[in-house]
Amino acid sequence: MSSSKPTEVGDLSDSFVSGEEDNGGFIVSNKNISNEINGNWVSSSSNSIHEARLKAKAKRRLRKNSSRDSGRGDSLSDTGDAIRGTSVAPTSPKSKLLDRKSRLGKGRGLPKKGGAGGKGVWGRSGEVYEPEAVDERDPNYDEDQENCVYETVVPPLDERDFEKTVTPIVQEYFEHGDTNEVAELLAEMNLGPMRSEVPSLAVSLALEAKASHRELTSRLLADLCGPVLSHSDMEKSFDKLLRELPDLVLDTPGAAQLVGQFIARAVSDQILAKSYIEGYKGKVDCEYARAALDRAAVLLKMSMGGLRIDNQWGTGGGQRPVTQLIKEMNLLLKEYILSGDSKEAERCLRDLEVPHFHHEFVYEAIVMVLESNGEKTFKMVLQLLKSLSGSSIITVDQMRRGYQRVYMDIAEINIDVPRAYFILERFVDKSFSMGVIDVKLRDLCPCRGRKRYVSEGDGGVVKLESY
């Protein structure tokens, strides 16, 4: 009777573990596994090819899992001995693969390079760099660069860039009127030989603008002379304007008279010398230049008689005192009542350049009607308001605000004009019938009704009177 020899562990190096093992859904037994020759399965029995393929696939999976778990450290057996190759299944293999932390267990968890590393980092937070000492042994060292001073050089403007740069500055100045801002902007530029072109450019732009813009231009030239421009620059600029007058007259027919006024104002502001006009006597062939110089000479002679040249252009609406505006509006209304020219009144009101203050004009016109006793003023003012409303010189909002101001002050006006309520009610009704105001504004008109008991002979009838 032959005894069976125990199977050694070393003889099973190429076979599966004895018994049944579930691995990925395949149950493999060692009793059905034969020897392997040259990496191919050879079945001693008449097993099917399909079974051999399944066994080969199971073996490849085992090898793959064993190689993956080989780097995860050793485990301990029940006796405490370290068993090489025995792996502990990770809780999350996917997270371990994507984890970038060191597997060595070294370090204290501090940031890399003390917080000075990483993309876009130029050092530790709060670190101050001191100037580095120059190394004279550096092969790139140049002794001539030790005492060099570096400055920003701005190239001078040429003629084309000059107009593109300075024209928006002057046009913006017409809006805000701050000469200091213009002086700062010009001081930052390298004007070079184009410095004398600044006054001529500003005057040529003002010729096509309003009277208030011409006044602003005269103030700008007076403030720029000295800090930014010299007196010789001013003289060269006005010389150029006199030479270009034939071209300027094509765009602005009154350019000769306007340039003459600019010259007179410049002499008055001490920008130009008093002998500037005298220097052109007998040397001018252009008729427009002669007209400009004659205009300047006449204005300067008139200034000696008391004319203020510094107010020849007038002042823009936003810069005038309110009392002066009210006075000019009253003069405008009185001239209109005398002449009856509504077109001239429209032009004068437009020249005041105070569209935001037209409600004052409406208020003064209605008050003039209330204080007058004749029908002429009543009809003429009504016709003027209709004309101004139709041409949109006075907007609906300004018209409404002017009427509402009269409604608010009618009680005080009635103290001086006893029939003010009655006249106002008539005027409002006529304004509504002519389309000057709407029905809402008409209904807001105040009226003072007073009950008066008549004598007993009238039967005690109560009558209503409106004043």
Side-chain angles (χ1 to χ4, degrees), residues 81-142:
D81 299 333
I83 300 177
R84 187 73 177 176
T86 305
S87 61
V88 180
T91 57
S92 178
K94 187 174 181 180
S95 64
K96 290 292 184 180
L97 290 175
L98 300 178
D99 189 7
R100 296 186 178 183
K101 293 182 179 180
S102 175
R103 304 311 197 269
L104 301 178
K106 295 181 180 180
R108 296 175 293 169
L110 299 177
K112 187 177 181 180
K113 296 182 180 180
K119 183 177 181 181
V121 179
W122 287 8
R124 295 182 180 89
S125 176
E127 184 175 358
V128 179
Y129 292 95
E130 298 180 355
E132 298 182 0
V134 180
D135 187 7
E136 296 182 357
R137 294 176 296 177
D138 191 346
N140 296 325
Y141 172 75
D142 189 358

Coordinates of all heavy atoms in Angstrom, one line a residue, residues 81-142:
D81 N 5.5 37.7 12.2 CA 6.5 37.7 11.2 C 6.1 38.4 9.9 O 4.9 38.3 9.5 CB 7.0 36.3 10.8 CG 7.5 35.6 12.0 OD1 8.0 36.3 13.0 OD2 7.4 34.3 12.1
A82 N 7.0 39.2 9.3 CA 6.7 39.9 8.1 C 6.6 38.9 6.9 O 7.5 38.1 6.8 CB 7.7 41.0 7.8
I83 N 5.6 39.0 6.2 CA 5.4 38.1 5.0 C 5.5 39.0 3.8 O 4.7 39.9 3.6 CB 4.0 37.4 5.0 CG1 3.9 36.5 6.3 CG2 3.9 36.6 3.7 CD1 2.6 35.8 6.4
R84 N 6.5 38.8 3.0 CA 6.8 39.6 1.8 C 5.8 39.3 0.7 O 5.5 38.1 0.4 CB 8.2 39.3 1.3 CG 8.7 40.2 0.2 CD 9.0 41.6 0.8 NE 9.5 42.5 -0.3 CZ 9.7 43.8 0.0 NH1 9.5 44.3 1.2 NH2 10.2 44.5 -1.0
G85 N 5.3 40.3 0.2 CA 4.3 40.1 -1.0 C 2.9 40.0 -0.6 O 2.0 40.1 -1.4
T86 N 2.6 40.0 0.7 CA 1.2 39.9 1.2 C 0.7 41.4 1.3 O 1.3 42.2 2.0 CB 1.1 39.3 2.6 OG1 1.7 38.0 2.5 CG2 -0.4 39.2 3.0
S87 N -0.3 41.7 0.5 CA -0.8 43.1 0.4 C -2.1 43.3 1.1 O -2.9 42.3 1.3 CB -0.9 43.5 -1.0 OG -1.9 42.6 -1.6
V88 N -2.3 44.5 1.6 CA -3.6 44.9 2.2 C -4.3 45.7 1.2 O -3.8 46.6 0.6 CB -3.3 45.7 3.5 CG1 -4.6 46.1 4.1 CG2 -2.4 44.9 4.4
A89 N -5.6 45.3 1.0 CA -6.4 45.9 0.0 C -6.6 47.4 0.4 O -7.0 47.6 1.5 CB -7.7 45.2 -0.2
P90 N -6.4 48.3 -0.5 CA -6.6 49.7 -0.2 C -8.1 50.0 -0.1 O -8.9 49.3 -0.7 CB -5.9 50.5 -1.3 CG -6.0 49.5 -2.5 CD -5.9 48.1 -1.9
T91 N -8.4 51.0 0.6 CA -9.8 51.4 0.7 C -10.3 52.0 -0.6 O -11.5 51.9 -0.9 CB -10.0 52.4 1.9 OG1 -9.1 53.5 1.7 CG2 -9.6 51.8 3.2
S92 N -9.5 52.8 -1.2 CA -9.8 53.4 -2.5 C -8.6 53.5 -3.4 O -7.8 54.4 -3.4 CB -10.3 54.9 -2.2 OG -10.7 55.5 -3.4
P93 N -8.5 52.4 -4.2 CA -7.3 52.4 -5.1 C -7.3 53.6 -6.1 O -6.2 54.1 -6.4 CB -7.5 51.1 -5.9 CG -8.5 50.3 -5.1 CD -9.3 51.3 -4.4
K94 N -8.4 54.0 -6.5 CA -8.4 55.2 -7.5 C -7.9 56.4 -6.8 O -7.1 57.2 -7.4 CB -9.8 55.4 -8.0 CG -9.9 56.4 -9.1 CD -11.3 56.5 -9.6 CE -11.4 57.5 -10.8 NZ -12.7 57.7 -11.3
S95 N -8.3 56.7 -5.6 CA -7.8 57.9 -4.9 C -6.3 57.8 -4.6 O -5.6 58.8 -4.6 CB -8.6 58.1 -3.6 OG -8.3 57.0 -2.7
K96 N -5.8 56.6 -4.4 CA -4.4 56.4 -4.2 C -3.6 56.7 -5.4 O -2.5 57.2 -5.4 CB -4.1 55.0 -3.6 CG -4.6 54.7 -2.2 CD -3.8 55.5 -1.2 CE -4.3 55.2 0.2 NZ -3.5 56.0 1.2
L97 N -4.1 56.3 -6.5 CA -3.4 56.5 -7.8 C -3.3 58.0 -8.1 O -2.3 58.4 -8.6 CB -4.1 55.8 -8.9 CG -4.0 54.2 -8.9 CD1 -4.8 53.6 -10.0 CD2 -2.5 53.8 -9.0
L98 N -4.3 58.8 -7.8 CA -4.3 60.2 -8.1 C -3.7 61.0 -7.0 O -3.6 62.3 -7.2 CB -5.8 60.7 -8.4 CG -6.5 60.0 -9.5 CD1 -7.9 60.5 -9.7 CD2 -5.7 60.2 -10.8
D99 N -3.4 60.4 -5.9 CA -2.8 61.2 -4.8 C -1.3 61.5 -5.1 O -0.6 60.7 -5.5 CB -2.9 60.4 -3.5 CG -2.5 61.2 -2.3 OD1 -2.3 62.4 -2.5 OD2 -2.4 60.6 -1.2
R100 N -1.0 62.8 -5.0 CA 0.4 63.3 -5.3 C 1.3 63.4 -4.1 O 2.4 63.8 -4.2 CB 0.3 64.6 -6.0 CG -0.3 64.6 -7.4 CD -0.2 65.9 -8.1 NE -0.8 65.8 -9.4 CZ -0.9 66.9 -10.3 NH1 -0.3 68.0 -9.9 NH2 -1.4 66.7 -11.5
K101 N 0.8 63.0 -3.0 CA 1.6 63.1 -1.8 C 2.6 62.0 -1.8 O 2.5 61.0 -2.4 CB 0.7 63.0 -0.5 CG -0.3 64.1 -0.3 CD -1.1 63.9 0.9 CE -2.0 65.1 1.1 NZ -2.9 65.0 2.3
S102 N 3.7 62.3 -1.1 CA 4.8 61.4 -1.0 C 4.4 60.1 -0.3 O 3.7 60.1 0.7 CB 6.0 62.0 -0.3 OG 7.0 61.1 -0.2
R103 N 4.8 59.0 -0.9 CA 4.5 57.7 -0.2 C 5.6 57.3 0.8 O 5.5 56.3 1.5 CB 4.5 56.5 -1.3 CG 3.6 56.7 -2.4 CD 2.2 57.0 -2.1 NE 1.3 56.7 -3.2 CZ 1.0 57.5 -4.2 NH1 1.5 58.7 -4.2 NH2 0.1 57.2 -5.1
L104 N 6.6 58.2 0.9 CA 7.7 57.8 1.8 C 7.5 58.2 3.2 O 8.2 57.9 4.1 CB 9.0 58.5 1.3 CG 9.5 58.2 -0.1 CD1 10.7 58.9 -0.5 CD2 9.7 56.7 -0.2
G105 N 6.5 59.1 3.4 CA 6.1 59.5 4.8 C 7.1 60.6 5.3 O 7.2 60.8 6.6
K106 N 7.9 61.2 4.5 CA 8.8 62.2 4.9 C 8.2 63.6 4.9 O 7.2 63.8 4.2 CB 10.1 62.2 4.0 CG 10.9 60.9 4.2 CD 12.1 61.0 3.3 CE 12.9 59.7 3.4 NZ 14.1 59.7 2.6
G107 N 8.8 64.6 5.5 CA 8.3 66.0 5.5 C 7.3 66.2 6.6 O 6.7 65.3 7.2
R108 N 7.0 67.5 6.9 CA 6.1 67.9 7.9 C 4.8 68.5 7.4 O 4.1 69.2 8.1 CB 6.8 69.0 8.8 CG 8.0 68.4 9.6 CD 8.7 69.5 10.3 NE 9.2 70.5 9.4 CZ 9.7 71.6 9.9 NH1 9.6 72.0 11.1 NH2 10.3 72.5 9.0
G109 N 4.6 68.4 6.1 CA 3.4 69.0 5.5 C 3.5 70.5 5.2 O 2.5 71.1 5.0
L110 N 4.7 71.0 5.2 CA 4.9 72.5 5.0 C 4.8 72.7 3.5 O 5.1 71.8 2.7 CB 6.2 72.9 5.6 CG 6.3 72.8 7.1 CD1 7.7 73.2 7.5 CD2 5.2 73.6 7.8
P111 N 4.5 74.0 3.1 CA 4.5 74.3 1.6 C 5.9 74.2 1.0 O 6.9 74.4 1.7 CB 3.9 75.7 1.6 CG 4.2 76.3 2.9 CD 4.1 75.1 3.9
K112 N 5.9 73.9 -0.3 CA 7.1 73.7 -1.0 C 7.9 75.1 -1.0 O 7.4 76.1 -1.3 CB 6.8 73.2 -2.4 CG 8.0 72.8 -3.2 CD 7.6 72.3 -4.5 CE 8.8 71.9 -5.3 NZ 8.4 71.3 -6.7
K113 N 9.2 75.0 -0.8 CA 10.1 76.1 -0.8 C 9.7 77.2 0.2 O 9.9 78.4 -0.1 CB 10.2 76.7 -2.2 CG 10.9 75.7 -3.2 CD 11.0 76.3 -4.5 CE 11.7 75.3 -5.5 NZ 11.8 75.9 -6.9
G114 N 9.0 76.8 1.2 CA 8.6 77.9 2.2 C 7.6 78.8 1.7 O 7.5 80.0 2.2
G115 N 6.8 78.4 0.7 CA 5.8 79.3 0.2 C 6.3 80.2 -1.0 O 5.5 80.9 -1.5
A116 N 7.5 80.0 -1.3 CA 8.1 80.8 -2.4 C 8.1 80.1 -3.7 O 8.5 80.6 -4.7 CB 9.5 81.2 -2.1
G117 N 7.6 78.9 -3.8 CA 7.6 78.1 -5.0 C 6.2 78.2 -5.7 O 5.3 78.9 -5.3
G118 N 6.2 77.6 -6.9 CA 4.9 77.6 -7.6 C 4.9 78.6 -8.8 O 5.8 79.5 -8.9
K119 N 3.9 78.4 -9.6 CA 3.9 79.3 -10.8 C 3.4 80.7 -10.5 O 2.4 80.9 -9.8 CB 2.9 78.6 -11.8 CG 2.8 79.3 -13.1 CD 1.9 78.6 -14.1 CE 1.8 79.3 -15.4 NZ 0.8 78.6 -16.3
G120 N 4.1 81.7 -11.0 CA 3.7 83.0 -10.8 C 4.1 83.6 -9.5 O 3.7 84.7 -9.1
V121 N 4.9 82.9 -8.7 CA 5.3 83.4 -7.4 C 6.8 83.9 -7.4 O 7.6 83.2 -8.0 CB 5.2 82.2 -6.3 CG1 5.7 82.7 -4.9 CG2 3.8 81.7 -6.3
W122 N 7.0 85.1 -6.9 CA 8.3 85.7 -7.0 C 9.0 85.8 -5.7 O 9.8 86.6 -5.4 CB 8.1 87.2 -7.5 CG 7.8 87.2 -9.0 CD1 7.5 86.2 -9.8 CD2 7.8 88.4 -9.8 NE1 7.3 86.6 -11.1 CE2 7.5 87.9 -11.1 CE3 8.0 89.7 -9.6 CZ2 7.4 88.8 -12.2 CZ3 7.9 90.6 -10.7 CH2 7.6 90.1 -12.0
G123 N 8.6 85.0 -4.8 CA 9.2 85.0 -3.4 C 8.2 84.8 -2.3 O 7.0 84.7 -2.6
R124 N 8.7 84.8 -1.1 CA 7.8 84.6 0.0 C 7.0 85.8 0.2 O 7.4 86.9 -0.2 CB 8.7 84.3 1.3 CG 9.4 83.0 1.2 CD 10.2 82.8 2.5 NE 10.9 81.5 2.5 CZ 12.2 81.4 2.0 NH1 12.8 82.5 1.6 NH2 12.8 80.3 2.0
S125 N 5.9 85.7 0.9 CA 5.0 86.8 1.2 C 5.6 87.7 2.2 O 6.1 87.3 3.2 CB 3.7 86.2 1.8 OG 2.8 87.3 2.1
G126 N 5.7 89.0 1.8 CA 6.2 90.0 2.7 C 7.7 90.2 2.5 O 8.3 91.0 3.2
E127 N 8.4 89.4 1.6 CA 9.8 89.5 1.5 C 10.2 90.8 0.7 O 9.6 91.1 -0.3 CB 10.3 88.3 0.7 CG 11.8 88.3 0.6 CD 12.3 87.0 0.0 OE1 11.5 86.1 -0.3 OE2 13.5 86.8 -0.2
V128 N 11.1 91.5 1.2 CA 11.6 92.8 0.6 C 12.9 92.5 0.0 O 13.9 92.1 0.6 CB 11.6 93.9 1.6 CG1 12.1 95.2 1.0 CG2 10.3 94.1 2.2
Y129 N 13.0 92.9 -1.3 CA 14.3 92.7 -2.0 C 15.1 94.0 -1.9 O 14.7 95.1 -2.2 CB 14.1 92.4 -3.5 CG 13.5 91.0 -3.7 CD1 12.1 90.9 -3.8 CD2 14.2 89.9 -3.7 CE1 11.5 89.7 -4.0 CE2 13.7 88.6 -3.9 CZ 12.3 88.5 -4.0 OH 11.7 87.3 -4.2
E130 N 16.3 93.9 -1.5 CA 17.3 95.0 -1.4 C 18.1 95.1 -2.7 O 18.3 94.1 -3.4 CB 18.2 94.8 -0.2 CG 17.5 94.7 1.2 CD 18.4 94.5 2.3 OE1 19.7 94.4 2.0 OE2 18.0 94.6 3.5
P131 N 18.5 96.3 -3.0 CA 19.4 96.4 -4.2 C 20.6 95.6 -4.1 O 21.3 95.6 -3.1 CB 19.7 97.9 -4.2 CG 19.4 98.4 -2.8 CD 18.4 97.6 -2.3
E132 N 20.9 94.9 -5.2 CA 22.0 94.0 -5.2 C 23.3 94.8 -5.5 O 23.3 95.8 -6.3 CB 21.9 93.0 -6.3 CG 20.7 92.1 -6.1 CD 20.6 91.0 -7.1 OE1 21.4 91.0 -8.1 OE2 19.6 90.2 -7.1
A133 N 24.3 94.4 -4.8 CA 25.6 95.1 -5.1 C 26.2 94.7 -6.4 O 26.0 93.5 -6.9 CB 26.6 94.7 -3.9
V134 N 26.8 95.6 -7.1 CA 27.4 95.4 -8.4 C 28.7 94.6 -8.2 O 29.5 95.0 -7.4 CB 27.6 96.7 -9.1 CG1 28.2 96.5 -10.5 CG2 26.3 97.5 -9.2
D135 N 28.7 93.5 -9.0 CA 29.9 92.7 -8.9 C 30.8 93.1 -10.1 O 30.5 93.0 -11.3 CB 29.5 91.2 -9.1 CG 30.7 90.3 -8.9 OD1 31.8 90.8 -8.5 OD2 30.6 89.1 -9.2
E136 N 32.0 93.7 -9.7 CA 32.9 94.2 -10.7 C 33.6 93.1 -11.5 O 34.2 93.3 -12.5 CB 34.0 95.1 -10.0 CG 33.4 96.3 -9.4 CD 34.5 97.2 -8.8 OE1 35.7 96.8 -8.9 OE2 34.1 98.3 -8.3
R137 N 33.6 91.9 -10.9 CA 34.2 90.7 -11.6 C 33.2 90.1 -12.6 O 33.6 89.1 -13.3 CB 34.6 89.7 -10.6 CG 35.8 90.2 -9.7 CD 36.1 89.2 -8.6 NE 35.0 89.0 -7.7 CZ 35.0 88.1 -6.7 NH1 36.1 87.4 -6.5 NH2 34.0 88.0 -5.9
D138 N 32.0 90.6 -12.7 CA 31.0 90.1 -13.6 C 31.5 90.4 -15.0 O 31.9 91.5 -15.3 CB 29.7 90.7 -13.4 CG 28.6 90.1 -14.2 OD1 28.9 89.3 -15.1 OD2 27.4 90.3 -13.9
P139 N 31.5 89.4 -15.9 CA 32.0 89.7 -17.3 C 31.2 90.7 -18.0 O 31.6 91.4 -19.0 CB 32.0 88.3 -18.0 CG 31.1 87.5 -17.2 CD 31.2 88.0 -15.8
N140 N 29.9 90.9 -17.6 CA 29.0 91.9 -18.3 C 29.1 93.3 -17.6 O 28.3 94.2 -17.9 CB 27.6 91.4 -18.2 CG 27.4 90.2 -19.1 OD1 28.0 90.0 -20.1 ND2 26.5 89.3 -18.6
Y141 N 30.0 93.4 -16.6 CA 30.1 94.7 -15.9 C 30.7 95.7 -16.8 O 31.7 95.5 -17.5 CB 31.0 94.5 -14.7 CG 31.3 95.8 -14.0 CD1 30.4 96.4 -13.2 CD2 32.6 96.3 -14.1 CE1 30.7 97.6 -12.5 CE2 32.9 97.5 -13.4 CZ 31.9 98.1 -12.6 OH 32.3 99.3 -12.0
D142 N 30.0 96.9 -16.8 CA 30.5 98.1 -17.6 C 30.6 99.3 -16.7 O 29.6 99.7 -16.1 CB 29.5 98.4 -18.7 CG 30.0 99.4 -19.7 OD1 31.1 99.9 -19.5 OD2 29.3 99.7 -20.7

